[in-house]
Amino acid sequence: MTASPTRLRRLLPLVVLLATGCAYFNTFYNARNYYRDGLKLKEQQQVSQAKARFEKSIEKSALVISRWPQSRWVDDATFLIGRSYYEMGQYGKALRHFERLALAFPNSPLVPEARLFRGMSLLRDGQFGDARVVLGDVQQSHPRLRDEAAYELAVSFYRREEYGRAADSLAAFIERFPRSDRVADAVERLAESCYRLERWEEAGASYDRLVRLLRDPKKRAEARLRAAACRLELGDPTEAVRQAQDVLGRYAELDDEANVLLGRAQAELGKPNEALAAWSRVRGNSDIGAEAFYRIGKFHEEQKSFELAQAHYDTARSRRANSDFGVLAVKRLALLDALAQGDSTERAPAEALFLLAEVHNLNLAEYDEAVRYYRAVHDSFPGSEWAPKALLAVAWIERHVRGDSAATNRVLNEVIAGYRDTEYGDEARRWLGEKVPERRKPGPPKPDTLAPRPSPPEPPRPDTIAGFAPEPHEEPKPLPGPKPEPPVRPSPQPEPKPPAAPPDTGIGRLEPVRFGFDRWDIAGDERAALDAAAKAIKESGDLVVAIVGHTDPVGTEEYNRELGRKRAEAVRDRLVSAGVDPGRLRVESRGESETVSRSPDEYWRDRRVEYLVR
């Protein structure tokens, strides 16, 4: 039977409606699939391919909104656009779409999640004050998302490298939400925070718990290695050996890390041959490879086998020069070079011994050894020009490293007593605040000291005469390492010129914050100026202040941008802890792009954070 024209006319609107509905649903369906593909590619570290999928998701979602603005999928499409921008790290655009969804579709079931993602976007965008308000509101208003909001707040401290607050917040989260899907992530971040804080017992317990929570066998093996490292730090090398051996051979990419840890534990047990064998099995040209050969070199140095030590230090440097242990290897090579020069006839004995003291002081940060050698210079060669220089270097260490003003004054008085009518005696008087007698200028000037010259106002200490960062301790944690520099022969340092006046911020002059070489921690003598800056900013109304980090030109541009950011964040965190509203602070890094030094001797002037009013 043939359908009548009348019936066909009645069915036509229904057919068109169904076709239209299928069209916009298919478009949204494709957008959602692109988004899911992007998430998978992002997990696999395929960043460019993931970005292309997220962009296709945005394109398809925007098509749904523009062509079918009255459809039921418009709020879903708006949310998907925001999620895609969030995953690409474009948090400003993500924020706009999450806010648009809440305003245009207040009754949409997606609004609670949009508020959650708005808070997460604010966190990633550095707007911590606003983010905490939003996420706190999500916890109060949307019980279903309470654990997710609490986790994001807790982990925000970890991302800002505030590991103490992160550990406390993550532990509280785990206790409050023991059944949350985020517990494993929280335990992992808690373990890492405690590890960085060197709270070894808590870190070890957290890694043990993480092993039980994880399903991925490779990730469990990684957690076991970290737990073994904690056992070693806690003085249990036998258990560390057992756990490291349990991981060895399971995953080739973890074998180097396991062998380094196994070697350390064997060394602690007094088994040097087993330790050397474990370190020798490390093959990678990585941070771990540099560590293994550094440790072999250190062993040979301690055995006075200096040629073998030099060979292994040189291999450590070639494995990964910009790693912690690559830089340490460079510094040990400088020490061995100084020892070799001391044994040669090229330098006078006093000068060679002084140079050795300088290496321990400025390159290796081994201050006790440095003082011992400086004292040996003075005691063995009291009539040489190096003797008073050595005493001034001891005075510098007593004041700036040990913080012992009484010892500093004793050494300075010793300089005055022994070298009263010399420039060194005058230098000691200046440091003590005593009157310097007028005298006729001498003839040709004596060579300047290689040690830091104290004179008021005291400039920040040059990092090193050879350009190396001080070694914090023998076995630094596996964190981003200091910038490498080739070993060079020390040369006399001219006294640095005073720094330029700090820029006018519009709220009075705020002193720049100075930093040590490759450091971003706040030095004790900078804290008073920071507290004054916090007071001035709090009293300035609603001005927004940019905290701008700078570095010297040593190292790569990328490394220096990151170092400048860390310095700026350290200053911001100090200001926030002093009561400044975090919403009024912005962090920037200009790396090495705005240096003010005119020579390497003035690099200390570049290592700073300044304030700008926006």
Side-chain angles (χ1 to χ4, degrees), residues 372-423:
R372 186 169 70 84
Y373 281 111
Y374 284 134
R375 280 290 180 187
V377 171
H378 174 262
D379 296 344
S380 302
F381 309 99
S384 75
E385 62 180 325
W386 302 98
K389 298 177 185 180
L391 288 182
L392 286 176
V394 171
W396 193 97
I397 292 173
E398 294 292 355
R399 171 171 286 190
H400 291 280
V401 177
R402 296 174 174 170
D404 190 338
S405 57
T408 303
N409 292 345
R410 283 197 299 271
V411 177
L412 292 173
N413 282 315
E414 189 178 350
V415 175
I416 294 171
Y419 307 92
R420 180 177 301 277
D421 297 325
T422 68
E423 61 181 298

Side-chain angles (χ1 to χ4, degrees), residues 311-328:
H312 284 92
Y313 285 146
D314 194 59
T315 303
R317 178 176 58 182
S318 66
R319 287 288 176 102
R320 186 59 64 88
N322 61 347
S323 70
D324 284 354
F325 287 94
V327 172
L328 291 179

Side-chain angles (χ1 to χ4, degrees), residues 357-375:
E358 292 280 82
V359 172
H360 280 287
N361 177 15
L362 302 176
N363 288 5
L364 301 176
E366 295 175 348
Y367 300 113
D368 291 342
E369 282 292 288
V371 168
R372 186 169 70 84
Y373 281 111
Y374 284 134
R375 280 290 180 187

Side-chain angles (χ1 to χ4, degrees), residues 294-305:
Y294 171 83
R295 292 188 182 281
I296 296 173
K298 194 69 163 44
F299 171 82
H300 289 302
E301 182 185 339
E302 291 168 354
Q303 301 300 312
K304 309 300 183 185
S305 300

Side-chain angles (χ1 to χ4, degrees), residues 83-99:
R83 292 281 296 269
S84 297
Y85 278 126
Y86 176 86
E87 296 296 340
M88 287 193 295
Q90 299 182 29
Y91 302 118
K93 293 181 179 180
L95 277 168
R96 287 197 293 274
H97 283 83
F98 295 137
E99 290 166 356

